[in-house]
Amino acid sequence: MRVRRMLAALCAGLAMLTGLQCVRLMVATRPIVIATRTITRGSTIPANALAIREIADDAALEHAFRAVEEAVGMTAQVDIPENGIVVPAMARASPTVSKGHTAIEVSLASSADDLIPGDVVMLSGAAIDQGPNTDPPTENESAGDKSTGDTTTGTALQELCPNAILMAKPTQDANGNITAVFAMRPEEAAAVLQAQTYNAIIAVSAE
């Protein structure tokens, strides 16, 4: 009698397990890419921070990455939390130097905390404005009479490159100096390199 009860319980358990398996098979699933750890904004997404998980299919997951290879090497545009689903809106292709362009290192006087690789910025340099009269001083002016010359000076921003592409996250050394690598046309690169020798370079988002 005791054996019969044990067999009956075992059969009931097997029947329940079989039923659950049938229900599971009836629910459509799809593979999606999740983050196995937090991926910070602006960083390159590595393969070891991603995994595939099967979850119940849903229309909201239509655009989610389905293979790890689809997201590896892209730049995170937002902080992606651990176990978060990774979708294309969260990442973009890492920037490359286009044909006919070059990449140079630029010392920035402006904050770069909000910049991430792929951002397009305008680079400008501070230029000295000598005023309307920049002719050499006359003999009288040299003797001390400045009344006939306008020597008003000031500073103005000179646009050096309207569409510089940030190639990597800016770095800051122990002294607070910020440097970043930008891609641009060669003639713009020459202007920036010349300007930063004497003037501060600032980056303003162009997007």
Side-chain angles (χ1 to χ4, degrees):
M1 191 71 175
R2 182 177 179 184
V3 174
R4 289 181 180 178
R5 289 178 180 175
M6 291 177 63
L7 289 174
L10 179 60
C11 289
L14 289 174
M16 181 177 295
L17 179 61
T18 301
L20 291 174
Q21 286 292 104
C22 291
V23 171
R24 182 180 179 184
L25 291 174
M26 292 174 62
V27 177
T29 62
R30 75 162 66 194
I32 54 95
V33 175
I34 65 161
T36 57
R37 57 180 171 82
T38 299
I39 302 172
T40 58
R41 177 180 180 270
S43 62
T44 301
I45 301 176
N48 60 10
L50 303 173
I52 296 293
R53 178 175 294 174
E54 290 278 346
I55 66 172
D57 198 3
D58 189 278
L61 302 175
E62 181 178 355
H63 300 296
F65 288 120
R66 298 193 181 191
V68 167
E69 294 75 15
E70 294 178 340
V72 171
M74 301 189 79
T75 300
Q77 293 198 83
V78 296
D79 288 335
I80 303 175
E82 183 178 354
N83 294 320
I85 297 173
V86 185
V87 298
M90 296 178 175
R92 66 181 176 202
S94 296
T96 58
V97 181
S98 303
K99 183 178 180 180
H101 287 63
T102 187
I104 61 171
E105 187 174 79
V106 180
S107 298
L108 296 177
S110 57
S111 173
D113 294 340
D114 294 330
L115 297 180
I116 63 174
D119 280 353
V120 179
V121 302
M122 179 178 66
L123 297 179
S124 299
I128 297 177
D129 182 3
Q130 298 290 348
N133 182 6
T134 58
D135 294 333
T138 65
E139 183 178 350
N140 288 336
E141 291 173 338
S142 299
D145 182 4
K146 306 291 185 179
S147 61
T148 59
D150 183 357
T151 59
T152 301
T153 61
T155 57
L157 284 179
Q158 177 185 1
E159 182 181 300
L160 302 170
C161 180
N163 297 298
I165 302 173
L166 183 64
M167 303 303 295
K169 290 189 70 174
T171 60
Q172 186 171 7
D173 63 21
N175 296 320
N177 299 315
I178 302 171
T179 58
V181 176
F182 292 95
M184 64 195 75
R185 295 186 179 278
E187 60 272 19
E188 295 169 334
V192 171
L193 289 173
Q194 182 180 24
Q196 74 174 357
T197 304
Y198 305 101
N199 304 313
I201 304 297
I202 65 171
V204 180
S205 178
E207 296 182 330

